[in-house]
Amino acid sequence: MKDNIYKIDMIKRLVILIVSGFIFTSCNENLLERQPLDAISEENVFTDPVFLQNYVYNIYNGIKPHWSPGTGGYIGMTDIAASAPDTHNRSGGIRQYLEGNINSDNVTQLTNIWAEEYDYIRRANIFFEKVEDSQIDEQALNRMKGEVHFLRAWMYFELIRTFGGVPIITNSFSLSDESFDVSRNSYEECANFVLSETELAIELLDGYSQEPGKISKNAALGLKARMLLYMASPLNNPSNDISKWQAAATANKAVIDAGYTLHPTHEDLFKQPVKTDETIFGRSFTAGSRIPDWGYNYDFWPSGFDARQRIMPTQTFINMFQMANGEYPYLPDGTTVNPASGYDEQEPNKDRDPRYYSYILYPGAGPVNIIDGSKSTVRLYEYWEDANPNPDNLPPYQNPNKVDPNNNQELFDFGRDSETYWVKGLTPFHWRVQTGYTFRKLLDFNGPRASFDFDYNQLMIFMRLPEFYLNYAETQIALGNEEVAREYINKVRRRPSVNMPDIASSGTELIRDYKNERAVELHLEDIHFWDLLRWKDAPGKIDLFPIRGLSKVTMDWTNAEEGDLLGKLNFTYGPIDEVDPRFPWPGDYYYLFPIPREEIQRSNNSITQNPGYGE
């Protein structure tokens, strides 16, 4: 099976459209009894193994992608990244959340996951109802059943980490019906339902080979382990029941023991093909299945499209990348240079964790291949002002050494003063990057910034081995086994292409090192925001204020010598005002989202609102 399980022929696409049309176009249960608009009947969809498998693949789309909501995900609401105002398709909701004003009336401006996931849950429930007496070959059917049990578990996991306890629905009536009387199950009941679904998936998927992009037994083991870790975490385990940590430890160790290894290099982990040595569950894209618009490049490319940078790293995140000697560049206050580190604020990009160079674009980084119509070139990431600007912004603005001696390619001709070029409208790049940094982890510089036609090489990884090394380390910290915790944190750091020094800390310093390692290794993988919530660690992380970054960068070419690609950079660090503002954390109730008012009304008020939201 090819990496992209969604790459299907035209007939299969038609079947999916027909079946999904049955589900979405009406709330009337009799709709499923109608004949479809072409020659394929509903009976054939649920009795033919090929059509049925494609129905299951359609349910895969219920897995929330990392870019949702707001095509930047939740990371722009954390200490790792900042959101630029009015650039997301969910910018209004993001602002309401960061201001402490999210409520049952405006939560759908941030996310519509309640309605979206219950629509896919209904698809899963229809599947189980329709195949109850199926004559399809048992081996083929069992695999599909295992996939759908996993998918239903995944969607409930997403719902309960967002809202807490939700209604457990296992029949096919629709939560988009005009009204329904159903109440919420408790968090514990929902979490146990997720576990029971993963157990069924593990049993049904046992013995089937793992194929890239396809749900496997090991993916079900991973979801079970993730659920148990959430159940053990402070948000959901206020009494610190040690048995919950022990259960989470056992489940995460089972994933570790499944036979995966770290891929030798980290730079290509998120590029096709799927690295099956490390990746437990991931998917690739086609032009028709990737992120809306043009792909990750649209959102993470320097200044995005039309100079709309959607999210960007904060200085806090930049400071999380240690020096190559294993020391943090700053002391815990975030502003005092660590004297043991060897860090120099005017040479901030020297001797850092190798992941820094792979995952961050900083002033002077590169050169990287920039394909953007007439401006296509290989050039540095430019973000600076001319230290000695010409009067009235007269030319020349260019780098006096425009040819890269490494490849004889001419660098783009605005190296002298990128701000001047921005002001003069000669480039759409870089000056709208408010913090001065952009993410590099998911960019594809082999293709254009934005194209509907280019087959970008990015992958979306939902589960990979380092998460479970780190999950297991967390359980061992909670159980008092610090030596084992350090062992598994250091496994992540020992990847051959990273090879960072082992940590040797204990106590609160070990917790800091653990959380820092998790943030660096797993950023942009839809994990960090939820970590902050389950740890009850939001104050100072989500309500971080002010956001800091590079408040001013200048480039002085005065003493540039022949062959220099850069002049002398000077960095000024400080608050960044042009990003979504943060307000003080409203209180513990904010660790759960409010349930949309319309869903409560539709239930005839059988669904109760989460505490703190005034209903």
Side-chain angles (χ1 to χ4, degrees):
M1 184 174 182
K2 295 183 179 179
D3 288 354
N4 190 341
I5 63 172
Y6 306 94
K7 201 170 188 177
I8 55 180
D9 61 35
M10 292 303 294
I11 294 177
K12 295 175 183 176
R13 286 180 184 272
L14 181 59
V15 172
I16 286 178
L17 288 171
I18 292 167
V19 174
S20 61
F22 283 149
I23 296 170
F24 278 104
T25 55
S26 174
C27 306
N28 189 340
E29 292 300 321
N30 293 330
L31 184 60
L32 282 173
E33 299 175 7
R34 299 178 188 174
Q35 289 295 314
L37 299 178
D38 74 348
I40 303 170
S41 69
E42 178 233 321
E43 180 182 358
N44 285 338
V45 170
F46 292 103
T47 57
D48 182 282
V50 175
F51 295 156
L52 185 60
Q53 181 67 78
N54 286 314
Y55 181 94
V56 172
Y57 286 160
N58 182 251
I59 304 175
Y60 273 62
N61 292 316
I63 297 176
K64 184 183 80 67
H66 297 340
W67 59 70
S68 177
T71 56
Y74 290 108
I75 196 169
M77 293 157 41
T78 73
D79 52 343
I80 277 183
S83 298
D86 303 320
T87 59
H88 294 63
N89 57 7
R90 297 283 186 176
S91 58
I94 290 170
R95 186 176 302 108
Q96 294 284 1
Y97 183 86
L98 292 176
E99 291 178 353
N101 294 327
I102 206 74
N103 58 50
S104 62
D105 292 314
N106 62 29
V107 66
T108 52
Q109 296 178 31
L110 175 62
T111 177
N112 202 31
I113 194 172
W114 182 287
E116 290 167 352
E117 295 294 46
Y118 272 116
D119 272 325
Y120 281 101
I121 287 169
R122 182 171 184 255
R123 299 181 189 211
N125 294 341
I126 289 171
F127 168 88
F128 286 120
E129 291 172 0
K130 293 296 181 181
V131 303
E132 188 171 350
D133 298 313
S134 175
Q135 301 303 306
I136 292 175
D137 174 73
E138 183 179 17
Q139 186 175 16
L141 185 60
N142 280 346
R143 186 170 192 173
M144 286 184 267
K145 286 181 177 179
E147 290 174 274
V148 179
H149 279 297
F150 172 94
L151 288 163
R152 191 161 64 175
W154 185 284
M155 289 177 275
Y156 272 106
F157 173 79
E158 288 284 6
L159 286 167
I160 65 177
R161 75 174 180 176
T162 306
F163 301 104
V166 298
I168 297 175
I169 307 296
T170 55
N171 56 39
S172 62
F173 84 86
S174 174
L175 289 190
S176 60
D177 286 347
E178 184 175 342
S179 66
F180 59 94
D181 294 329
V182 60
S183 59
R184 299 173 65 177
N185 292 82
S186 68
Y187 175 86
E188 203 74 18
E189 288 170 335
C190 293
N192 285 326
F193 179 74
V194 170
L195 294 179
S196 66
E197 290 287 278
T198 59
E199 291 288 3
L200 288 168
I202 290 166
E203 179 182 353
L204 289 163
L205 294 170
D206 189 30
Y208 293 95
S209 60
Q210 181 166 336
E211 301 173 52
K214 194 171 174 69
I215 293 164
S216 66
K217 173 187 175 181
N218 290 335
L221 286 170
L223 181 54
K224 174 185 175 182
R226 193 181 279 177
M227 183 72 261
L228 285 165
L229 182 69
Y230 274 68
M231 294 172 72
S233 299
L235 179 64
N236 306 308
N237 185 19
S239 66
N240 196 30
D241 182 346
I242 293 300
S243 68
K244 293 186 177 182
W245 287 108
Q246 291 168 335
T250 300
N252 280 278
K253 190 61 163 56
V255 180
I256 292 169
D257 292 340
Y260 295 91
T261 58
L262 290 180
H263 191 64
T265 54
H266 66 281
E267 299 90 343
D268 58 341
L269 272 174
F270 299 88
K271 298 180 174 65
Q272 298 186 43
V274 174
K275 311 304 182 291
T276 54
D277 49 355
E278 175 170 326
T279 301
I280 299 164
F281 182 39
R283 62 165 292 192
S284 56
F285 303 98
T286 65
S289 68
R290 62 176 177 256
I291 182 174
D293 299 312
W294 288 280
Y296 280 116
N297 282 23
Y298 185 90
D299 295 307
F300 300 145
W301 193 278
S303 282
F305 186 68
D306 292 333
R308 299 196 307 164
Q309 186 72 29
R310 298 202 172 189
I311 60 171
M312 65 211 81
T314 63
Q315 191 66 46
T316 300
F317 186 48
I318 298 302
N319 296 348
M320 289 181 182
F321 288 88
Q322 296 174 338
M323 307 299 290
N325 60 13
E327 295 282 350
Y328 293 98
Y330 289 89
L331 296 178
D333 65 13
T335 58
T336 304
V337 172
N338 176 6
S341 68
Y343 175 73
D344 183 343
E345 286 188 324
Q346 294 308 315
E347 292 189 84
N349 308 311
K350 182 180 179 182
D351 298 330
R352 303 295 290 270
D353 180 332
R355 289 171 290 188
Y356 177 71
Y357 305 105
S358 304
Y359 292 156
I360 301 295
L361 283 172
Y362 50 85
V368 292
N369 191 40
I370 304 288
I371 303 175
D372 186 51
S374 62
K375 300 181 179 67
S376 299
T377 187
V378 175
R379 71 168 186 266
L380 303 175
Y381 169 71
E382 300 172 11
Y383 180 88
W384 54 72
E385 304 170 51
D386 190 347
N388 300 294
N390 294 304
D392 302 318
N393 285 332
L394 296 174
Y397 309 109
Q398 68 268 20
N399 177 343
N401 302 297
K402 295 188 296 179
V403 177
D404 184 346
N406 295 317
N407 57 21
N408 256 359
Q409 292 196 39
E410 186 170 310
L411 298 175
F412 196 66
D413 193 10
F414 58 89
R416 178 77 177 266
D417 185 355
S418 61
E419 184 183 25
T420 297
Y421 266 68
W422 164 256
V423 172
K424 291 174 73 67
L426 298 176
T427 171
F429 297 111
H430 305 156
W431 208 252
R432 282 291 300 274
V433 181
Q434 286 88 345
T435 67
Y437 308 97
T438 62
F439 290 106
R440 187 173 185 170
K441 183 174 182 177
L442 295 171
L443 290 176
D444 180 1
F445 285 112
N446 294 313
R449 174 184 56 181
S451 170
F452 283 115
D453 302 319
F454 187 78
D455 190 11
Y456 292 99
N457 67 15
Q458 295 112 328
L459 297 172
M460 180 175 294
I461 298 178
F462 297 108
M463 294 180 185
R464 58 188 182 97
L465 181 60
E467 176 193 345
F468 297 94
Y469 280 161
L470 294 169
N471 289 355
Y472 188 65
E474 183 175 337
T475 67
Q476 297 309 297
I477 292 173
L479 294 171
N481 302 322
E482 290 192 345
E483 184 176 355
V484 179
R486 286 190 292 269
E487 175 188 352
Y488 280 86
I489 296 169
N490 288 330
K491 284 179 183 289
V492 178
R493 296 166 67 86
R494 290 173 189 162
R495 186 194 301 272
S497 65
V498 175
N499 196 29
M500 284 290 287
D502 286 352
I503 63 165
S505 52
S506 62
T508 57
E509 287 301 310
L510 175 58
I511 293 172
R512 179 196 180 191
D513 287 343
Y514 165 72
K515 290 181 176 180
N516 192 86
E517 188 67 27
R518 191 174 177 94
V520 167
E521 177 67 23
L522 302 177
H523 74 283
L524 295 178
E525 297 180 48
D526 199 29
I527 289 175
H528 184 64
F529 174 77
W530 302 105
D531 282 345
L532 296 179
L533 296 189
R534 68 182 179 85
W535 292 332
K536 300 187 71 173
D537 213 8
K541 304 292 197 305
I542 289 177
D543 67 348
L544 181 69
F545 185 85
I547 298 294
R548 293 176 56 84
L550 293 171
S551 56
K552 187 179 182 66
V553 182
T554 59
M555 177 75 79
D556 189 344
W557 295 99
T558 303
N559 297 314
E561 298 179 1
E562 185 176 355
D564 288 346
L565 296 181
L566 290 171
K568 175 63 176 175
L569 280 166
N570 182 271
F571 299 90
T572 303
Y573 306 86
I576 306 298
D577 297 327
E578 302 85 5
V579 295
D580 280 330
R582 310 288 180 94
F583 287 76
W585 185 248
D588 278 2
Y589 76 91
Y590 223 56
Y591 285 115
L592 295 175
F593 285 21
I595 296 171
R597 183 185 299 275
E598 62 196 50
E599 304 299 342
I600 294 174
Q601 293 173 337
R602 192 174 290 131
S603 75
N604 293 320
N605 295 315
S606 297
I607 293 175
T608 58
Q609 182 58 271
N610 280 324
Y613 291 103
E615 296 174 52

